[in-house]
Amino acid sequence: GAGVSQSPSNKVTEKGKDVELRCDPISGHTALYWYRQSLGQGLEFLIYFQGNSAPDKSGLPSDRFSAERTGGSVSTLTIQRTQQEDSAVYLCASSHGETNQPQHFGDGTRLSIL
Amino acid sequence: KNEVEQSPQNLTAQEGEFITINCSYSVGISALHWLQQHPGGGIVSLFMLSSGKKKHGRLIATINIQEKHSSLHITASHPRDSAVYICAVKMSGGGADGLTFGKGTHLIIQP
């Protein structure tokens, strides 16, 4: 497709379960970002990939959060032992080249932890 | 204190009015982004600025690096401009590689 694709669009799961969120960036975009949008918190940065490597993991809120990117394309964000405070919309964005380029956002995954 | 502050938080105006949304930041930056988020959540990048002024259709964005301030203007506003407008910065000098966001300005344009 032409844009950034995220799946699933909605995920409801029980507290304590693991979840995996997927991002398919725009073809040819080497930079990939994960962000989180929580009610009352606004948007916050989680992790940045350049190719397959993640030079900046500074935004990951705890060691329950991890992400990987394979083949310089698809990325997965994994949250282990989910907690209710993990409920949020998880957004992925991609861009050409290095970090100072316009970012193209996916529609997000709305995660609800019961 | 947040690193990126937007004002106003909420703005309701009549169709046709000239709209200004302000963004101030307290850190060194390499670029500033203006984003638009419609109900339903999709985020669209409107502008990326490192200096001066950019114009796209009825939208104008300006930045003053010395004053650490940016404005987004909408001319001849229309109900379809109703959305949340978000200012975000890319910090320079070893800051995070991702964007740091303001809390957004919720704009409603009434017919």
Side-chain angles (χ1 to χ4, degrees), chain B:
Chain B
K1 183 181 186 300
N2 293 329
E3 289 160 323
V4 181
E5 298 274 1
Q6 286 186 238
S7 63
Q9 274 188 287
N10 297 282
L11 177 58
T12 300
Q14 296 299 310
E15 182 173 358
E17 286 188 39
F18 181 82
I19 303 298
T20 296
I21 299 170
N22 295 297
C23 176
S24 297
Y25 52 92
S26 58
V27 294
I29 69 167
S30 55
L32 182 143
H33 298 244
W34 281 103
L35 309 170
Q36 181 192 56
Q37 186 171 31
H38 277 286
I43 293 178
V44 174
S45 177
L46 298 175
F47 295 103
M48 189 186 76
L49 295 163
S50 54
S51 64
K53 175 179 173 178
K54 287 191 176 180
K55 184 176 190 291
H56 185 250
R58 295 180 294 105
L59 301 177
I60 303 165
T62 63
I63 188 168
N64 185 318
I65 297 294
Q66 286 73 32
E67 294 187 3
K68 295 188 169 155
H69 182 269
S70 175
S71 293
L72 176 69
H73 304 286
I74 305 174
T75 62
S77 59
H78 189 276
R80 65 176 174 266
D81 298 325
S82 299
V84 177
Y85 292 83
I86 302 167
C87 173
V89 300
K90 168 67 179 74
M91 288 194 278
S92 60
D97 284 309
L99 298 176
T100 301
F101 299 86
K103 293 196 180 298
T105 295
H106 189 191
L107 174 66
I108 298 173
I109 304 296
Q110 295 178 332

Side-chain angles (χ1 to χ4, degrees), chain A residues 33 35 37 40-45 48 55-56 58 91 99-103 105-107 110, chain B residues 30-31 33 35 37 40-45 48 86 90 95-103:
Chain A
Y33 306 82
Y35 298 100
Q37 187 171 34
Q41 293 290 326
L43 278 153
E44 57 179 329
F45 166 71
Y48 157 67
D56 189 349
S58 63
L91 290 153
T99 54
N100 263 342
Q101 298 291 330
Q103 296 184 21
F105 286 79
D107 288 337
R110 183 174 298 276
Chain B
S30 55
H33 298 244
L35 309 170
Q37 186 171 31
I43 293 178
V44 174
S45 177
M48 189 186 76
I86 302 167
K90 168 67 179 74
D97 284 309
L99 298 176
T100 301
F101 299 86
K103 293 196 180 298

